[in-house]
């Protein structure tokens, strides 16, 4: 059905570079003709259902998840109703990854730092959301905003030029997108389930190698470390600080970026499992005296302090100098002739997978793997030659699994890109879906679940700021 879609019969120039041509019968309107600003304070705690914006979804936040950075009183939150549209318009300059638009499906309260819009009669809430969602997906949102950190406010939404089809056509577009995006998300979820099974297999192989070694007949002893269990008798156990140096990144301050010593810097989300993303790294300003402390070199292990606590990867890039932000630990062996960082990487991988570091949070706080905590953890350390042997074994043994995981992740990336392109083409009128929507089955589809891989760094970035 998608392959049979064709453009509209006639088009006109939109006057917007990012939008291009639009169907001739669509009406040009300013944003204020479609959206009204709404802000109802939660005075007197009229509502207690807490909502959060997470990767483009408005979700009910369970009571047991309301910990960490929360306001003193939820009276500072705003009340929102089903059909309202939420925009996180803050910090556009420094965050080009997050999805910032969400459609409210449950009455509740949400941070007053977010902009809440209510649709007028000219646009249905579902289509109004798709307009702004496309504005977000295509990154056109980053053309707007003001101030030092480029914040988007209602004044700019009011002046935003939008093109509206008739209400009946809006309903057809929403129906078509709900159907096909649901199918695409189901395909993504099935691939993620396969990846989860492959990851479990990886963890089992790593667990065996870094806790028992490669000799099946080796004599064991109790490590007295709960998550570790028994280890070979001849292995030693040391606090991490006795074998590796651990440095936490510097706090980044946009006001200090003067251009004196700009270098690329890594963020928490750039560090994935066993790989570091280096595309479009932002720049930070470091004075010469800070170079050695806040820069990384080939062979350094980078560990996430928050988010997926303990997620780690090696810096094997050839960039001569690269900084790293607060929320990333840089780990280096004190004596490269005594310890093999690649072996320790697998230990960190196992510990993080078992949730060892997540235990550093409690019911009232979010887990954070501080330098002090990380240095105080105890790990097993075989002799140098055995560390090398185990690391080489795991590199080879896991290669097939890693290749399979990478292939499925690439397929997921392509599905996401296709979903984004399809949504943008339909909402901007590049494809006519009126006939296709009419042919869809009448039975209601289950509401699609969110994409299971929601980056932790892109959730609730400014949950209660005023």
């Amino acid at each position: 059905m998608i392959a049979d879609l064709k453009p509209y019969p006639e088009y006109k120039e939109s006057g917007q570079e990012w939008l291009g041509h639009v169907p001739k019968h669509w009406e040009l309107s300013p944003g204020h003709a479609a959206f009204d600003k709404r802000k109802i304070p939660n005075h007197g705690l009229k509502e207690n259902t807490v909502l959060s914006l997470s990767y483009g979804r408005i979700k009910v936040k369970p009571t047991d998840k309301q910990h960490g950075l929360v306001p003193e009183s939820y009276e500072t939150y705003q009340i929102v109703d089903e059909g309202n549209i939420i925009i996180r318009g803050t910090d556009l300059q420094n965050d080009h990854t997050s999805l910032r638009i969400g459609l409210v499906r449950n009455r509740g309260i949400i941070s007053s730092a977010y902009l809440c819009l209510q649709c007028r009669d000219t646009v249905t809430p579902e289509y109004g959301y798709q307009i702004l969602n496309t504005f977000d997906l295509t990154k056109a949102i980053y053309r707007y905003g003001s101030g030092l950190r480029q914040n988007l406010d209602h004044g700019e939404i009011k002046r935003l030029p939008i093109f509206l089809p008739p209400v009946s056509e809006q309903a057809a577009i929403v129906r078509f997108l709900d159907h096909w995006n649901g199918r695409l998300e189901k395909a993504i979820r099935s691939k993620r389930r396969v990846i989860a099974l492959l990851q479990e297999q990886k963890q089992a192989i790593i667990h065996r190698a870094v806790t028992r070694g490669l000799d099946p007949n080796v004599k064991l002893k109790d490590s007295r470390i709960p998550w570790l269990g028994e280890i070979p008798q001849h292995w030693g156990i040391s606090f991490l600080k006795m074998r590796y140096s651990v440095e936490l990144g510097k706090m980044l301050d946009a006001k200090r970026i003067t251009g004196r010593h700009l270098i690329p810097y890594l963020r928490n989300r750039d560090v994935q499992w066993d790989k570091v993303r280096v595309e479009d790294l932002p720049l930070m300003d470091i004075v010469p005296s800070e170079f050695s402390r806040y820069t990384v070199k080939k062979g350094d292990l980078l560990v996430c302090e928050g988010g997926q606590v303990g997620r780690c990867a090696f810096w094997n890039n050839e960039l001569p100098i690269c900084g790293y932000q607060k929320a990333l630990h840089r780990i280096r062996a004190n004596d490269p002739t005594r310890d093999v960082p690649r072996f320790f990487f697998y230990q960190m991988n196992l510990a993080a997978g078992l949730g060892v570091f997540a235990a550093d949070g409690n019911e009232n706080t979010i887990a954070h793997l501080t330098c002090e905590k990380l240095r105080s953890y105890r790990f097993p350390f075989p002799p140098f030659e055995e560390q090398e042997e185990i690391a080489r074994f795991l590199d080879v043994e896991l290669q097939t699994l890693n290749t399979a995981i990478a292939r499925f992740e690439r397929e997921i990336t392509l599905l996401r890109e296709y979903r984004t392109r399809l949504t943008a083409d339909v909402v901007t009128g590049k494809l006519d879906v009126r006939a296709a929507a009419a042919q869809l089955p009448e039975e209601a589809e289950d509401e699609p679940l969110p994409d299971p891989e929601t980056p932790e760094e892109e959730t609730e970035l400014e949950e209660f700021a005023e």
Side-chain angles (χ1 to χ4, degrees):
M1 183 183 290
I2 293 180
D4 296 332
L5 295 177
K6 292 180 172 55
Y8 282 82
E10 293 184 280
Y11 285 88
K12 61 185 176 184
E13 180 59 50
S14 70
Q16 301 297 308
E17 182 181 352
W18 71 274
L19 190 54
H21 291 80
V22 295
K24 188 174 181 178
H25 66 285
W26 288 16
E27 294 292 333
L28 171 64
S29 299
H32 65 77
F35 306 109
D36 287 322
K37 182 180 180 181
R38 169 191 162 116
K39 193 159 192 175
I40 302 177
N42 191 33
H43 291 163
L45 297 175
K46 298 176 185 175
E47 294 291 335
N48 56 18
T49 301
V50 181
L51 307 177
S52 64
L53 175 61
S54 176
Y55 202 57
R57 304 273 181 165
I58 305 294
K59 305 188 299 184
V60 175
K61 195 170 186 179
T63 303
D64 60 352
K65 298 294 184 182
Q66 296 173 28
H67 51 56
L69 298 176
V70 297
E72 292 183 2
S73 170
Y74 282 113
E75 286 191 314
T76 63
Y77 272 36
Q78 59 180 318
I79 298 174
V80 295
D81 282 307
E82 181 179 356
N84 290 161
I85 299 170
I86 299 300
I87 302 176
R88 184 174 72 83
T90 57
D91 200 22
L92 272 68
Q93 179 180 350
N94 295 319
D95 176 14
H96 284 211
T97 304
S98 298
L99 293 182
R100 299 170 169 272
I101 315 295
L103 179 64
V104 179
R105 300 186 183 276
N106 305 86
R107 179 178 171 88
I109 54 175
I110 200 165
S111 169
S112 295
Y114 299 151
L115 179 62
C116 178
L117 302 179
Q118 183 167 310
C119 293
R120 293 193 164 195
D121 293 340
T122 55
V123 60
T124 66
E126 294 78 12
Y127 188 75
Y129 160 73
Q130 289 294 0
I131 292 175
L132 297 174
N133 182 43
T134 300
F135 184 59
D136 189 11
L137 290 174
T138 60
K139 305 305 178 185
I141 192 171
Y142 297 106
R143 300 169 182 264
Y144 298 86
S146 59
L148 181 64
R149 299 183 71 179
Q150 196 182 352
N151 295 329
L152 181 69
D153 60 24
H154 182 246
E156 286 160 313
I157 296 294
K158 288 197 304 182
R159 297 187 294 272
L160 182 69
I162 58 176
F163 286 83
L164 295 177
V167 172
S168 60
E169 192 172 339
Q170 294 177 29
I173 290 172
V174 168
R175 187 180 181 204
F176 178 88
L177 289 176
D178 284 350
H179 175 82
W180 284 103
N181 284 344
R183 293 188 63 174
L184 290 169
E185 290 189 3
K186 287 178 182 177
I188 289 173
R189 288 201 304 274
S190 68
K191 293 181 185 296
R192 292 238 62 89
R193 284 194 290 269
V194 175
I195 290 176
L197 292 174
L198 294 174
Q199 293 287 11
E200 287 180 11
Q201 190 175 351
K202 271 186 64 175
Q203 282 293 96
I205 295 171
I206 293 171
H207 189 284
R208 174 72 189 185
V210 302
T211 62
R212 300 295 178 91
L214 305 181
D215 181 1
N217 301 314
V218 69
K219 293 183 178 180
L220 303 175
K221 66 180 178 182
D222 185 0
S223 69
R224 297 185 180 180
I225 301 175
W227 64 271
L228 194 55
E230 293 185 318
I231 61 173
Q233 277 189 355
H234 64 286
W235 287 17
I237 295 177
S238 299
F239 291 106
L240 180 60
K241 63 185 176 182
M242 305 301 294
R243 314 288 289 244
Y244 285 85
S245 66
V246 181
E247 290 284 353
L248 186 63
K250 70 189 271 85
M251 177 65 78
L252 302 179
D253 183 355
K255 297 178 181 178
R256 291 189 62 244
I257 298 179
T258 63
R260 290 175 299 162
H261 302 284
L262 291 177
I263 65 170
Y265 75 84
L266 297 167
R267 299 154 297 187
N268 207 52
R269 62 172 171 263
D270 295 320
V271 174
Q272 301 298 308
W273 289 110
D274 202 22
K275 63 183 177 182
V276 180
R277 298 185 301 201
V278 295
E279 301 83 7
D280 302 320
L281 293 180
L283 301 177
M284 72 179 294
D285 178 42
I286 296 183
V287 297
S289 62
E290 296 173 323
F291 274 155
S292 61
R293 182 174 180 184
Y294 297 117
T295 56
V296 295
K297 65 181 182 181
K298 189 171 183 177
D300 283 346
L301 183 61
L302 296 159
V303 179
C304 294
E305 187 242 8
Q308 287 181 304
V309 182
R311 188 177 68 217
C312 55
F314 273 106
W315 177 251
N316 286 321
N317 201 279
E318 295 297 340
L319 284 176
I321 297 178
C322 186
Y324 60 107
Q325 74 170 138
K326 189 173 190 264
L328 278 179
H329 298 291
R330 185 199 67 192
I331 297 180
R332 285 179 183 167
N334 292 333
D335 184 354
T337 66
R338 186 186 184 194
D339 287 307
V340 178
R342 188 70 182 169
F343 172 79
F344 183 67
F345 159 76
Y346 284 118
Q347 288 186 316
M348 286 293 297
N349 194 295
L350 174 63
L354 293 174
V356 172
F357 306 123
D360 283 321
N362 56 49
E363 61 181 9
N364 296 315
T365 63
I366 298 173
H368 286 286
L369 185 59
T370 65
C371 266
E372 182 180 359
K373 289 176 182 175
L374 183 53
R375 292 184 185 120
S376 65
Y377 273 100
R378 293 183 300 155
F379 293 92
F381 291 97
F384 180 83
E385 293 76 11
E386 194 170 351
Q387 291 185 36
E388 283 190 318
E389 184 182 9
I390 292 172
R392 283 196 302 267
F393 167 81
L394 289 174
D395 286 344
V396 173
E397 188 73 10
L398 300 178
Q399 185 174 1
T400 300
L401 290 173
N402 287 333
T403 300
I405 290 170
R407 184 180 73 250
F408 280 108
E409 288 178 340
R410 176 59 180 162
E411 290 173 358
I412 288 173
T413 297
L414 292 174
L415 285 171
R416 289 174 179 157
E417 291 174 354
Y418 181 77
R419 182 180 57 192
T420 296
R421 186 70 267 162
L422 178 65
T423 299
D425 284 349
V426 171
V427 175
T428 59
K430 303 301 182 292
L431 295 173
D432 185 353
V433 301
R434 291 173 292 183
Q439 297 174 20
L440 293 175
E442 290 297 331
E443 57 269 17
E445 292 268 345
D446 293 335
E447 181 184 347
L449 296 174
D451 188 333
E453 188 179 52
T454 300
E456 293 286 338
E457 302 77 34
E458 297 179 12
T459 64
E460 304 173 47
L461 298 183
E462 203 164 341
E463 178 62 21
F464 69 92
E466 294 297 326

